[in-house]
Amino acid sequence: MNTSIVPAFRLRLRTQPALRLDLSGFVPQALDRETPSGVARRTLWHGNVQVPIGEFFDVEAMAADGPELVFEGDLSRCDGLGRGLDGGRIRVEGDVGDYVGAGMRAGEIVVTGSAGMLAACEMAGGRLEVGGDVGDYAASALPGDMDGMRGGLFIVRGKAGARFGDRMRRGTAVVFGDAGDFLASRLVAGTITVAGAVGAHCGYGMRRGTLIFAGPQPEPPPTFVPTGHDVQVIWTLLARSLAVHGGPFAALAAGRPRRFVGDLAADGKGEWLLPA
Amino acid sequence: MSAAAMLELNGVVIDDTFAEAFPMKATRLVITAHNATWANHAAVALTGFATSVIACGCEAGIERVLDPGETPDGRPGVAVLIFSMSGKDLAKQIERRVGQCVLTCPTTAVYAGLDAAPDADRTALGKNLRFFGDGWQISKVIDGRRFWRVPVMDGEFVAEETTPVVKAVGGGNLLILAHDTEAALGAAEAAVVAMRALPNVILPFPGGVVRSGSKIGSKYASLPASSNDAFCPALTPLAKRTELTPEIGCVMEIVIDGLTDGDVAAAMRVGMEAVVARGAAAGVRRISAGNYGGKLGPYLYRLHALLGKGGAGVSRSNAPRLRNGLAVQSQPPGA
C-alpha cells in the first residue's frame, strides 16, 4: 500500500470555531496526492470568511486501505461534513453539526457522537451511521426541494428529532431510539424502522413506503386501515435484511406483523408493519 | 471404429466420438411457496413444454428442490434453469411462463437465482408482470434488490424485478445403445439420477430422456431435421448409413443444458459412469454421442477424454459456427 497516493488523513480539532464551519466538499477523493501541510492550507468557510483548515485542525497522514478522513473532537459547530460524498470513508470521533451526509451518493460516514439537523437529507447512496442522536429533518428534503433521502442506508443508534424522513423517497433508515413528531411525514417511498417510541402525527400525509415498528407498537391514526392478508413473504425479506443491525431488529423475522395502509388522505399506499 | 480407438469399460464400449453443443443464454429462477407442494406445482408448470428451443421457445427444467433455509423468504422452494437461443427469446419466455405459471399459482413468489455482478446483463422478471396489479402494485427495494408486490386474491405475489442472464451451453448429449428397451431405459434412468444430482444443469426432456434423436435435413424440403436413421434400430438393415449393429435393439438419448461447458462435461461424465457401473450385464452395449462434424457449435465433448482416457474433455471447434438454422437443427424434432 502506498499511503502517499491513498488520501487518508487524521484531523484533530484544536480550536472550537467561533462561528459555524462549513466542511461541504471536504471529502477524501478531493485530497488525492495531497500532503498534510497541503490539506492544512485548504480553506473552508468560517461564517462568511474563508480560513485555512490548519487554523482549526491538526492534520496528519495515516495508513488506510482507501480514501479516508478521520476527525477527532467536538465538531458540533462543523456543518456539511461528507456532503455530496461519492466514495471513500469519513469517521468522526465525536459529535458533528448539521447536514452530515447530505446528498451523499456512495461511501461511508460513521459518527460516533450525535449529529445536528438535516442529517442524511437527500442522501442518495452509501452508508451513514450516527452513534448518538440526530436532530430534526434527518433523511428529509432540503428546504424547498421535493424529495428527501433517496437511497442508501442511514442508521441512527440514538434518538431522532422531528420530521424524520419527511418526503423520503427511497433507501432504508434504521432508528434504534425514539423518533420525534411527524415521523415519515409525506413519505414518498423507502423503508423506515424504529425501535423506540414515536411522537405525534406519525405517517402524516404518507403516500407510499414502509414504516416498521420494532419496539413499542403505536396506535395507527384513523387515516390508516388494516389489511387482513398474509404479508409473510415481504416481511421475511425485510426482517432478514434488518436483522443484520442486531438488537431489537435481530428477531423481527419471527414475528407475524399486522399491516395497516395509509395515509388514506394521500392515496393510502403507504404501510405500517406492526410485528408485536 | 478402429481397434486403437476402442474403449471398453465393464463390458460397455465407449465410442471414440464427441457430443457437440452450442451457446445459449440462461437464467436461474427460485420459486418459493407456502409449502413444497405448491412450489413444485409452479415449477412443473413453468418448465412444462420446454423440451426444445425448436418449438417451445426455450429449454427449461427443475434444477433441484430447495430447503427453506436456502430461499430468500425462508419457505420451501425450487430452483429452475431456463435456456434460450438469445437474450430476447429468454426474456419473452420468462415473462410468459412466470406470468402464466407462477403468478397464477397459489402462494408463490419468484426470485432471481444467479449471483451476478452489478453490471451483468439482466432481464425482466417481475418488472413487467407488475402491471397485472393495475396500479395497486408496490415496489420495495431491499439491500439493492427491487421486488414488486402485486395484489392477488390470496394476498400478494412477490417477484424480484429482474434476473441476471448468463452465457450458457446447450445440447450436450449422450446416446445409450442397448440390447432392448428395458436395458436402455434402465441405463438412461440411472444416468439421469446421477446427472440430476449435479448443480447448474438440466435435462429438459421428459424424465430427462429423449428417444427421437435427429439428423440435419430431411427428404422433405420443408423439414430442417428428421429422424436420426443412423441410430434407429428399425433401420439397421435398411439405412444407407447406420451406426448400429444387429444386437442393438434400442437407443436412448440424454440431452444436457448447463450454465458452463464444465457443468455439461461433468454431467456427461457422471452419466457415463452410471451406465458403465451397471455394465454390459445390464444390457447396455455402447455409449455414443450426437455431433454434426463440429459444424454446429463450438463445444465438443469427447467421450474418451471425459472418462480420463486422454485429451481434453471439452474442446472448441475450429469450424465456423452456424447460427440459428443449424442450431435449431441441433435438436431432434421436439428435441
Side-chain angles (χ1 to χ4, degrees):
Chain A
M1 183 186 59
N2 186 343
T3 55
S4 64
I5 294 177
V6 174
F9 299 96
R10 183 180 300 274
L11 294 95
R12 193 169 292 110
L13 186 67
R14 193 176 58 245
T15 309
Q16 273 293 341
L19 304 171
R20 308 297 294 188
L21 191 62
D22 186 0
L23 290 171
S24 298
F26 187 64
V27 293
Q29 287 99 329
L31 306 175
D32 200 17
R33 298 181 184 278
E34 190 62 280
T35 62
S37 57
V39 172
R41 283 195 298 273
R42 291 191 172 226
T43 57
L44 299 171
W45 285 101
H46 179 232
N48 60 357
V49 178
Q50 285 192 307
V51 296
I53 288 174
E55 201 160 299
F56 299 107
F57 291 94
D58 293 327
V59 184
E60 62 184 49
M62 64 177 198
D65 53 7
E68 183 172 353
L69 293 176
V70 175
F71 293 87
E72 294 177 2
D74 178 8
L75 273 69
S76 55
R77 286 174 177 268
C78 300
D79 301 331
L81 187 134
R83 191 167 185 171
L85 184 73
D86 200 18
R89 288 186 302 194
I90 297 176
R91 179 177 174 83
V92 180
E93 294 174 354
D95 294 342
V96 71
D98 302 336
Y99 297 101
V100 61
M104 68 182 284
R105 296 182 292 276
E108 181 184 62
I109 301 174
V110 175
V111 178
T112 62
S114 295
M117 292 174 61
L118 289 154
C121 65
E122 301 189 10
M123 173 182 179
R127 182 179 186 276
L128 169 57
E129 178 177 345
V130 177
D133 303 337
V134 294
D136 297 344
Y137 291 98
S140 68
L142 288 167
D145 282 357
M146 290 295 291
D147 295 324
M149 180 176 167
R150 56 196 71 168
L153 174 62
F154 179 30
I155 301 169
V156 179
R157 299 210 173 266
K159 293 185 290 188
R163 292 279 184 180
F164 185 95
D166 183 55
R167 283 194 180 275
M168 176 176 165
R169 187 177 194 90
R170 203 175 293 127
T172 301
V174 180
V175 181
F176 279 73
D178 299 340
D181 295 344
F182 288 97
L183 170 68
S185 57
R186 306 184 293 177
L187 188 78
V188 179
T191 302
I192 298 175
T193 181
V194 182
V198 299
H201 308 298
C202 180
Y204 170 81
M206 184 173 168
R207 292 171 57 193
R208 296 191 299 274
T210 304
L211 262 178
I212 299 170
F213 300 94
Q217 308 286 286
E219 188 61 32
T223 51
F224 281 72
V225 292
T227 63
H229 72 281
D230 185 348
V231 291
Q232 204 59 28
V233 172
I234 199 69
W235 172 248
T236 305
L237 297 176
L238 281 166
R240 285 183 168 189
S241 169
L242 295 173
V244 300
H245 303 299
F249 305 103
L252 280 179
R256 296 188 72 86
R258 291 178 297 143
R259 180 177 187 260
F260 290 76
V261 292
D263 185 333
L264 298 180
D267 218 18
K269 290 173 78 173
E271 67 179 347
W272 286 23
L273 295 173
L274 301 154
Chain B
M1 194 186 324
S2 70
M6 183 102 165
L7 173 63
E8 185 174 319
L9 299 172
N10 204 13
V12 177
V13 173
I14 313 298
D15 284 3
D16 184 18
T17 187
F18 59 90
E20 190 172 350
F22 47 86
M24 298 185 86
K25 291 293 181 69
T27 193
R28 177 190 284 126
L29 302 181
V30 170
I31 299 167
T32 66
H34 185 69
N35 57 40
T37 299
W38 287 104
N40 191 58
H41 281 319
V44 167
L46 174 80
T47 57
F49 184 56
T51 53
S52 167
V53 290
I54 291 178
C56 306
C58 71
E59 298 177 9
I62 291 174
E63 183 186 16
R64 68 186 184 95
V65 173
L66 302 171
D67 292 331
E70 299 176 282
T71 63
D73 59 23
R75 303 189 302 168
V78 177
V80 301
L81 295 175
I82 308 178
F83 297 76
S84 275
M85 296 306 291
S86 70
K88 192 175 175 183
D89 290 342
L90 188 65
K92 188 194 303 180
Q93 290 297 322
I94 289 171
E95 187 171 313
R96 286 183 177 178
R97 289 169 181 271
V98 175
Q100 297 303 311
C101 306
V102 183
L103 185 154
T104 57
C105 184
T107 75
T108 58
V110 62
Y111 308 97
L114 286 176
D115 289 328
D119 59 348
D121 287 343
R122 302 183 76 88
T123 195
L125 181 55
K127 187 176 183 178
N128 298 327
L129 297 175
R130 76 178 195 260
F131 294 114
F132 182 73
D134 200 24
W136 295 105
Q137 70 274 15
I138 51 181
S139 90
K140 194 82 257 171
V141 178
I142 301 173
D143 297 332
R145 298 165 67 180
R146 184 183 296 279
F147 300 89
W148 285 100
R149 304 163 61 186
V150 181
V152 284
M153 294 194 300
D154 72 353
E156 59 184 20
F157 170 61
V158 175
E160 191 162 353
E161 180 170 69
T162 60
T163 181
V165 174
V166 296
K167 292 178 180 175
V169 178
N173 66 84
L174 291 175
L175 294 169
I176 299 169
L177 287 62
H179 177 67
D180 55 26
T181 304
E182 189 75 20
L185 270 184
E189 289 168 4
V192 165
V193 168
M195 295 160 89
R196 283 187 167 160
L198 297 185
N200 305 333
V201 295
I202 58 162
L203 315 177
F205 285 92
V209 185
V210 51
R211 56 104 175 258
S212 59
S214 68
K215 67 176 183 295
I216 295 173
S218 165
K219 67 181 287 184
Y220 305 106
S222 61
L223 293 183
S226 58
S227 190
N228 194 353
D229 43 27
F231 283 94
C232 289
L235 305 177
T236 302
L238 303 175
K240 288 180 181 174
R241 176 182 154 271
T242 183
E243 293 287 337
L244 307 182
T245 47
E247 78 274 16
I248 304 296
C250 182
V251 179
M252 296 293 180
E253 181 175 355
I254 299 175
V255 172
I256 307 115
D257 297 335
L259 293 182
T260 67
D261 51 1
D263 294 324
V264 174
M268 289 180 62
R269 182 183 305 113
V270 301
M272 284 193 287
E273 288 170 349
V275 175
V276 166
R278 293 164 55 90
V284 173
R285 299 290 182 259
R286 286 165 52 201
I287 297 175
S288 190
N291 66 69
Y292 305 88
K295 295 177 182 175
L296 169 67
Y299 304 102
L300 309 180
Y301 299 90
R302 300 183 184 282
L303 303 188
H304 287 189
L306 286 175
L307 292 170
K309 305 300 177 184
V314 184
S315 61
R316 295 271 178 156
S317 167
N318 291 323
R321 187 165 65 83
L322 304 180
R323 298 179 68 92
N324 300 330
L326 268 181
V328 168
Q329 293 165 36
S330 68
Q331 304 286 316

